[in-house]
Amino acid sequence: MLESLLVYSILFIIMCMCGVISARKEKKYVGRSGVFVEEKRFFTPEVIIIVLSFSIVFGFRWGVGVDYFRYLYAYTEVIPERFEFLFQLVSSILKRLGAHYSIYFGIWAFLDIVLLYYALHKYRFIYPYIAFFLIFGSYYLPMMNGIRQHIATMIFLTSIRYVDQKQIVKFYLCLTVAFLFHKLSAILFLIYPLLRLKDDWFNSIVLQIVLYILALYLSVNGELVLQWIETPFDWLTEVLGYDRYDYDFLDEERFDRSRFGNNTGFGLIVSVIRTLPVILFSKNLKEYYNSSHFNMLYSLYFLGVVSSLLFGNSIVLNRIAYFFSIYQLIIHCFFVYYCFDEKSYTKLILGIMMMMIHIPLFLNIISNSSSTAQYLFFWQQSSSLL
C-alpha cells in the first residue's frame, strides 16, 4: 500500500502543479459563449510534463488493471484476431519493432491522457482538478482496464466539440477511428443527431432526481433489470466478442443474477454523496458555464450516472455505460471549480466535501491486497509472485 500511495501521490503532485501553472498563465473569459480560455497551442511545457509523467508511471506498471495480464499475454504471445483493426495494427507494429511491453502500455496511457486533456483544453482552469479526480477518484483504473474501449471513449469525448461546432464530418471521422479501436463505438453514431436536436437532455432537476432515485432502486433490485435485458444479452456478448473466448465467464454472468444491480456498500454511499449536489446545482452550473458544449457534457454525464447504476456489476452490460463514465470525472471538476470560484462559504465547504469524500474510497481501494489498483513497477514482477 505504501508504494502505491507514494507513486500515486507523487504523480498527482506533478500533474496538479503543472495544471495550476497551465491554468494561471491563461486568461479566462466569461461571456455569452460561456466560461473558457483562449485556444492557444495545446502542447505547452507543463502539459508535456503531465502527459509524460502519466505515460511513464502507467507504462512502467505491473498488474495494475483487471485486464492487464490479458493484454500482456496478447502482446507478448499471440495478438488475438478479435482485436479491432487499428489496435491490432499498432500492437503488431510495436511487436515487430521489438518494443518492450512497458512501451506498449505507455503508448496507450499516452493516448488516453493526451485525448482527455486535449478535449478539455478550452477549460484549462480545471486542469488541477482533473489531476485530483483522476488519481484520488480512481478514474485512472478504467483507463488501465478496458484499454481498447477507453481509447475509443477518449476519442468520442474529443469529438463532442465537433457536435457543438456543427462539424458533422469531423465528428463521424472521429467515431470511425474510435470504431477501429472498439466496435461497440457504433452505438455512439446516434449521439450527433440527438445532441443537435437538444443539447440539454435533463434540464429539470425534479426529473433528474426522479430518474436517479429510480436507478438507485433498480440498482439494488437487479431482477427487474435482468428481465428487461435478457433478450438482447446474447447479441451484446457477441458484439463485444465475449462469446469467443470466455464461456465460463458468460455462464456466470447469465445465471448469477447477483451481478445485475446489487450496488451496495461504501462505494454506493460515495456515489450518492457526490451525485446529489451536482444534480441540485445543475441549473446553476449550466448558467455559470453558459455554453451548449457544457450542456452536452452534462447530458452525457447524467446518462452515465443512470446507466452505471442500472447495469450494476455486470461486466458485459457495463460496456455500454463505460462510454459515459468519464463524464463523471469531468463534471466533478467543473462542479468543484464552480464552488471555489463563487466565493461562497457554503459552496466552498461543498467543493471541499466533494473532493475529500473520494480520499477514503481511494485508500480503501489501494489497501485491498487483492485490488488491481496496487502499484508495482514491472521490474518488481518477481516479488509480486512470491
Side-chain angles (χ1 to χ4, degrees), residues 52-307:
L52 289 179
S53 300
F54 187 89
S55 303
I56 290 170
V57 167
F58 288 107
F60 286 6
R61 75 189 191 273
W62 175 261
V64 178
V66 174
D67 292 336
Y68 178 86
F69 291 108
R70 282 181 178 172
Y71 279 102
L72 178 63
Y73 177 82
Y75 179 66
T76 56
E77 301 298 329
V78 180
I79 299 175
E81 293 183 0
R82 64 181 176 82
F83 280 175
E84 288 78 3
F85 171 75
L86 203 50
F87 188 89
Q88 190 177 65
L89 176 65
V90 175
S91 300
S92 299
I93 291 173
L94 290 172
K95 190 170 184 177
R96 288 179 184 177
L97 292 173
H100 190 267
Y101 57 80
S102 62
I103 303 297
Y104 172 75
F105 285 116
I107 285 176
W108 302 130
F110 174 86
L111 279 176
D112 266 329
I113 200 67
V114 164
L115 290 170
L116 173 61
Y117 275 78
Y118 178 74
L120 299 169
H121 79 281
K122 183 181 176 181
Y123 311 103
R124 286 188 287 276
F125 48 83
I126 68 168
Y127 274 9
Y129 305 107
I130 292 176
F132 178 87
F133 287 107
L134 192 63
I135 303 301
F136 295 113
S138 299
Y139 286 102
Y140 69 89
L141 267 180
M143 293 183 176
M144 305 304 119
N145 291 337
I147 296 176
R148 287 155 35 237
Q149 188 173 2
H150 208 280
I151 292 171
T153 300
M154 292 295 97
I155 296 172
F156 171 56
L157 169 62
T158 304
S159 73
I160 299 301
R161 63 186 298 170
Y162 299 127
V163 182
D164 184 37
Q165 297 168 0
K166 301 180 183 179
Q167 298 187 41
I168 187 171
V169 175
K170 289 185 178 180
F171 174 81
Y172 283 114
L173 280 175
C174 285
L175 282 200
T176 300
V177 175
F179 180 80
L180 294 176
F181 274 103
H182 201 281
K183 52 183 169 287
L184 192 59
S185 303
I187 66 173
L188 302 174
F189 277 66
L190 296 172
I191 294 295
Y192 186 91
L194 292 174
L195 284 176
R196 286 309 317 161
L197 183 65
K198 186 177 177 62
D199 58 32
D200 188 2
W201 296 345
F202 309 100
N203 57 359
S204 168
I205 294 177
V206 174
L207 174 64
Q208 290 180 68
I209 292 175
V210 169
L211 290 175
Y212 186 64
I213 292 174
L214 179 61
L216 277 174
Y217 172 76
L218 292 174
S219 74
V220 293
N221 291 275
E223 291 280 338
L224 295 174
V225 181
L226 186 59
Q227 290 173 17
W228 296 344
I229 54 81
E230 273 185 317
T231 300
F233 188 88
D234 289 333
W235 171 83
L236 182 60
T237 53
E238 183 176 352
V239 169
L240 294 175
Y242 286 124
D243 61 318
R244 283 174 280 178
Y245 71 95
D246 209 346
Y247 293 101
D248 293 337
F249 162 75
L250 282 182
D251 287 339
E252 185 182 356
E253 279 269 301
R254 182 175 285 105
F255 298 114
D256 182 4
R257 292 174 177 254
S258 67
R259 279 186 176 269
F260 296 90
N262 199 32
N263 286 309
T264 56
F266 183 63
L268 180 62
I269 295 172
V270 171
S271 176
V272 172
I273 292 175
R274 70 187 183 188
T275 301
L276 283 179
V278 174
I279 292 175
L280 295 173
F281 281 88
S282 58
K283 280 191 178 294
N284 302 69
L285 289 170
K286 292 168 187 176
E287 290 174 2
Y288 178 81
Y289 291 106
N290 188 33
S291 72
S292 58
H293 184 249
F294 177 81
N295 291 345
M296 292 175 184
L297 294 176
Y298 188 89
S299 296
L300 297 173
Y301 154 77
F302 191 73
L303 179 63
V305 168
V306 172
S307 59

Side-chain angles (χ1 to χ4, degrees), residues 339-381:
C339 288
F340 290 168
D341 195 52
E342 282 290 277
K343 297 178 176 60
S344 160
Y345 181 76
T346 303
K347 290 175 183 175
L348 176 63
I349 296 298
L350 195 58
I352 294 173
M353 182 196 73
M354 174 66 81
M355 297 179 73
M356 292 301 101
I357 190 64
H358 291 82
I359 302 296
L361 186 59
F362 167 76
L363 293 175
N364 181 58
I365 291 173
I366 65 170
S367 64
N368 188 335
S369 59
S370 62
S371 171
T372 58
Q374 291 227 351
Y375 191 90
L376 284 176
F377 291 100
F378 69 83
W379 55 79
Q380 296 175 285
Q381 58 182 285

Side-chain angles (χ1 to χ4, degrees), residues 1-9 375-377 379-380:
M1 174 184 172
L2 286 177
E3 180 176 358
S4 300
L5 185 59
L6 184 63
V7 171
Y8 292 138
S9 296
Y375 191 90
L376 284 176
F377 291 100
W379 55 79
Q380 296 175 285

